[in-house]
Each structure stands twice: as structure tokens, then as C-alpha cells.
Amino acid sequence: MDGQTRSLVKRGHLTCHCLLLEADHGLILVDTGLGLEDVRNPKSQLSGFFLAMVSPDFREEMTAVRQVESLGFNASDVHHIVLTHLDFDHAGGLNDFPHATVHMLQEERDYALKQRTWLDRQRFRPQQWPTEQHWRLYGIDEGEDWFGFFSISQLEGVPNNIRLVPLPGHTHGHCGVAIKLADKWLLQTGDAYFYHQEMDPQSPFCTPGLRFYQTLMEKDRQARLNNQQRLRELSRAQGNQIELFCAHDVVEFERLSGRSARVPVQHLRL
């Protein structure tokens, strides 16, 4: 699965990579990972299928809300959440920020609510979404060009240096989230890919376990593979301007955060 664990009988190690951004008028969270209720009551919140397949390491101190608090903030300081998609491991913490406005593509919300297939009912968990009245939805006709990708930069109440970048395939309304920093862009690609070597422009590679998982979860295979190729080309052409990373790769998380993915942020504060 992770390319590092050297035994089939040992647990692999993945991440739920979220970003916390400090803006002039409050905090902005990109994805939420698993939430407090998932940790406390996993059998009612999550499907037995994914509990068996993924076997999450439930630690309350690793939830987004507890790490936000460890930095000296309150949950109410998070005014906006920008979601890549509604899978259980990205939207589980929505309930922990009940007053935040949540931004996503309308197609993501609409399809997730249909609960069409057995697998949809396992991955999209409406019990994680009690704050749906605070959702803000965007159509794909509302955007503009961003390095050859379509993007939506006018997110209500969110600075225009943060934008949704539709990357369908994993789900129909799946997005990356681009953030402009002083000297470069960050692009959180969600589940557009799962393993850092998939972005190698010459010899892309994914571990067998993650390749199987991506195939299992894809809603549109051709769109997913096309977007992976487009991301490789973007990284090759604009690597000095854009830093790409996905949601579940430990190597990428540790490179960007400068700390172990196993350690909550509070343990590193001076």
C-alpha cells in the first residue's frame, strides 16, 4: 500500500492530509479528515466494509479540530471549509465545525446524495453531514483558466487566492484546491492520485494496493487517468511555480509539513 512497509502482515501507513490556512477574517480548512464522532462511534458513522479494508488508526488528538485547538484556536475560528470531495475520510470532520461555510462542486453534492450504488452508500456517509444548510455549491460554468485547468476562484467569503480546480474521476465532482502563497501555488489534489511516484513524468508508478484501491473507487476511469496525466504535465512544466500533493501520501505530507505524520502538531510546539 504505502511503498514503505516491508511486510504483507504489517499495517501500512497513509495520511488524511488537511490544510489549515490563516486568512484576515478567520481560518480556512481544506478537507477535514475523520472527525470526533468517527473516532468515538466508528461503527455507526463508517461502513463495516471500509472499517475492515482501511482499518483507521482512531486517535482523537489527530482529528482536525483537536489539532486546530492545539495551535491555540477554537473550532469556531474556522469560518470556511473547502472540500475536495465527500468521501468519508475527507468529510468526516464537518460536524466538528458546525458554523463553518462548506464549499464544493454542486455535482459532488448532488451525486453523493443519490446513494445510487452499494459502494456509494459505503463511501458517502450522510450522518457525517449535519451542517448541510451551510454548504455553498458551485457549477462548472462559474470559473476561469488556471495553468490550462478550469478553476473556480469566486468562493463566497473566501479570498480569491484559493480556488477549486475540478479533477473528476475519483468522484464525479472531485476537485483539487489551489492556494496562492507569496512565491508559489500549492495544489492539494485530493484523491486524483494516491502515491507520490505517480507524478513522475518519465516512469509513473503506484503500489499494487493503492492501484487496486483507486480502481475500486473510481467513478470515471478515463477522466481519472486523463487528469493524472495532465497533473504530471503540469508538474513538469510548472514545477517551479506549483507544488502538487495528494491527500494520502506520507512522503508528501512529511516533506511539506516538516514533521512526522504520526505526531500531532501540539507535540511540536515550543
Side-chain angles (χ1 to χ4, degrees), residues 18 28 50 99 112 132 134 172 184 195 224 240 254 263:
C18 308
I28 301 167
F50 280 109
H99 304 295
E132 194 177 345
H134 298 307
H172 291 300
K184 64 179 178 180
Y195 189 64
R224 180 177 71 82
N240 60 333
E254 293 183 341
V263 181

Side-chain angles (χ1 to χ4, degrees), residues 43 182 186:
K43 291 183 178 179
L186 295 179

Side-chain angles (χ1 to χ4, degrees), residues 113-143:
L113 285 177
K114 291 175 183 177
Q115 300 276 286
R116 278 186 169 172
T117 69
W118 177 85
L119 188 57
D120 289 343
R121 294 188 289 276
Q122 311 314 302
R123 73 191 300 180
F124 301 127
R125 307 296 285 178
Q127 54 266 59
Q128 294 180 325
W129 314 336
T131 62
E132 194 177 345
Q133 69 272 21
H134 298 307
W135 291 8
R136 297 293 181 270
L137 308 172
Y138 303 89
I140 58 172
D141 57 346
E142 302 178 40

Side-chain angles (χ1 to χ4, degrees), residues 132-171:
E132 194 177 345
Q133 69 272 21
H134 298 307
W135 291 8
R136 297 293 181 270
L137 308 172
Y138 303 89
I140 58 172
D141 57 346
E142 302 178 40
E144 59 196 38
D145 179 77
W146 180 80
F147 294 98
F149 286 74
F150 181 82
S151 73
I152 302 165
S153 61
Q154 300 302 315
L155 305 181
E156 183 181 328
V158 175
N160 61 12
N161 65 328
I162 300 170
R163 56 183 66 200
L164 288 169
V165 181
L167 297 170
H170 181 71
T171 66

Side-chain angles (χ1 to χ4, degrees), residues 34-220:
L34 297 170
L36 291 176
E37 196 61 27
D38 301 322
V39 171
R40 294 166 180 169
N41 299 292
K43 291 183 178 179
S44 64
Q45 288 290 106
L46 308 176
S47 76
F49 174 76
F50 280 109
L51 286 173
M53 172 176 277
V54 181
S55 186
D57 181 15
F58 291 114
R59 294 167 56 192
E60 184 169 317
E61 71 271 20
M62 296 297 281
T63 60
V65 67
R66 290 293 181 248
Q67 296 203 64
V68 166
E69 291 169 347
S70 334
L71 292 169
F73 300 108
N74 297 314
S76 59
D77 294 325
V78 176
H79 293 180
H80 297 275
I81 296 171
V82 185
L83 277 186
T84 60
H85 61 299
L86 277 168
D87 275 349
F88 68 94
D89 53 338
H90 296 256
L94 290 178
N95 193 36
D96 299 330
F97 305 95
H99 304 295
T101 301
V102 182
H103 306 266
M104 74 187 82
L105 279 192
Q106 180 161 343
E107 188 169 5
E108 182 69 9
R109 190 283 307 266
D110 291 351
Y111 186 85
L113 285 177
K114 291 175 183 177
Q115 300 276 286
R116 278 186 169 172
T117 69
W118 177 85
L119 188 57
D120 289 343
R121 294 188 289 276
Q122 311 314 302
R123 73 191 300 180
F124 301 127
R125 307 296 285 178
Q127 54 266 59
Q128 294 180 325
W129 314 336
T131 62
E132 194 177 345
Q133 69 272 21
H134 298 307
W135 291 8
R136 297 293 181 270
L137 308 172
Y138 303 89
I140 58 172
D141 57 346
E142 302 178 40
E144 59 196 38
D145 179 77
W146 180 80
F147 294 98
F149 286 74
F150 181 82
S151 73
I152 302 165
S153 61
Q154 300 302 315
L155 305 181
E156 183 181 328
V158 175
N160 61 12
N161 65 328
I162 300 170
R163 56 183 66 200
L164 288 169
V165 181
L167 297 170
H170 181 71
T171 66
H172 291 300
H174 181 274
C175 281
V177 180
I179 303 106
K180 182 68 168 71
L181 303 181
D183 58 343
K184 64 179 178 180
W185 286 89
L186 295 179
L187 179 60
Q188 214 279 36
T189 66
D191 288 357
Y193 68 96
F194 276 68
Y195 189 64
H196 60 279
Q197 289 185 22
E198 289 184 88
M199 289 297 103
D200 187 308
Q202 303 301 325
S203 302
F205 169 78
C206 185
T207 62
L210 289 178
R211 189 182 309 118
F212 166 78
Y213 190 81
Q214 290 187 78
T215 302
L216 172 71
M217 300 296 286
E218 67 192 11
K219 301 303 295 186
D220 185 330

